[in-house]
Amino acid sequence: MAIEIIRVPDLGGAETVDVIELSLAQGDNIAAEDSIVVLESDKATMDVPSPIAGQLVKYLVAEGDTVKVGDPIVELEVASPESASEPQPEESVQVEEIQSKAETPVIESSPEPVAIEPVAALTVAEPSGGGESGTEIYAGPSVRLMARELGVTLDSVVGSGPRGRIIKDDIDAYVKGKLTSVAGNEVVKGSAIPAIPSIDFSQFGPIESVKLTKIQKLTAANMHRNWLNVPHVTHFDGADITDLESFRKSLKAEGEARGVRITPVAFIIKGIAMALNANPVFNRSLASDGEHYIQKSYCNIGMAVDTPRGLVVPVICNADEKGIWEIAADVANLAAKARDGKLKPSDMQGGCFSLSSLGAIGGNGFTPIVNAPEAGILGVSKSQIKPVWNGDTFEPRLMLPLALSYDHRLVNGGDAGRFVTDIVKYLSDIRYLAL
Ligand code: CAO
């Protein structure tokens, strides 16, 4: 028997991730590919599978820890006497090879594995000024240092780490909360943003305080940033997709044979991609120097996906070069990965323009928030039969509501009108999508 250490694999771009779940118990026998731990980055969660079978000796991380690539996760006892007795040079070659493979956890043979010292969670009883004298405060040395530097008394802070441990985010949130409440008590002058008052809702009825997921926190920060920074205009239109829908429905059997489900979203993404190429003003981003814009010559479309953990926006790359079947397969694949928490940070990078489709859910229209630094986002609502005047009479036509929000620093109303009119043209007569 030999001891193997499984390490954190390539994180696909994320520098650090949090350990949110230990999948096994000490002594468990596991097969290769069994999940050993679940990690969460700012944007996604990922299962780390064991590359080998064995028996779990112990975890070298705990839930709530922050880890980086190469950090040890578990010690496994494996039935592989040769690996422990292999000469040193071969071992290091093996480790290097494994490390170079994306997503493959790194294993390392070691007769005497070195376990990472768990971060000391100091347990100090500190006097409390708030009537909770004697309450034990769990916080590591770096958190205590941060609190001292900011003048925060730790017994005022609620810990959100394992067993109520106070982490840096808690200090951060506490300080922000204090600053907000100070601002909220001041008379707001000029263009300052008035703070929303903090209310004790428990005075009105039973409540529960639920911690936001990382994705929810990130989405909140991004939406707030984009809402405040981008001068938004929303332009509304509707596309007659009667013919598109009858063509799409006629593809059902072929779709089943190919194993691909085509929804209107695939056509819409293709239409956006073609309209981006015809209207490059929508494929720009403002440079941070305030003196330039960046014109992009690639065409990647972000697609908002609603998941139980929050909103994520995976990207369909080179959508202008893809056919409808390929885009439909990308949509289904990325939406499934998003819902299973399997997106990698790289799946969500490089978008030029975004689509937010609520068509399957409902609604007549909404005003989406631009995903800055992109120039625009198309909000799509549920198609409905409407009476449309054809010159002689009203005809029942299937109309798709479109709402284009754009950054008015980059795009003018005329540009927006041309862009949406192109999308309407492509979706109303899908022969254009083949051109
Ligand atoms: N009008 C009417 N029906 C529509 C439609 C529309 N605009 N768009 C899709 N549908 C129908 C499809 O035809 C399909 O039904 P059939 O199977 O009977 O043909 C069904 O809705 C498919 O819905 P879906 O959600 O499984 O797949 P999708 O391709 O339409 O959408 C995705 C994929 C990922 C865009 C979507 O699932 C999703 O997550 N949307 C939410 C986006 C969001 O949250 N936006 C808000 C962001 S800001 O908070």
Side-chain angles (χ1 to χ4, degrees), residues 248 261 263-265 304-306 339 356-357 359-360 381-383 400:
R248 184 182 73 84
R261 191 173 69 111
T263 67
V265 165
V305 183
D306 182 36
R339 291 192 178 114
S356 175
S357 171
S381 299
K382 191 175 178 63
S383 57
L400 180 71

Side-chain angles (χ1 to χ4, degrees), residues 18 64 66 119 138-150 152 154 157-162 164-176 211 217:
D18 292 343
T66 300
V119 178
Y138 295 90
S142 61
V143 172
R144 286 170 187 279
L145 179 66
M146 181 181 176
R148 269 199 305 279
E149 283 172 355
L150 293 171
V152 173
L154 281 178
V157 180
V158 179
S160 65
R165 202 174 92 200
I166 298 172
I167 58 176
K168 284 185 174 174
D169 279 354
D170 299 326
I171 307 276
D172 206 33
Y174 177 82
V175 171
K176 279 187 189 141
K211 196 161 164 48
K217 279 202 273 186

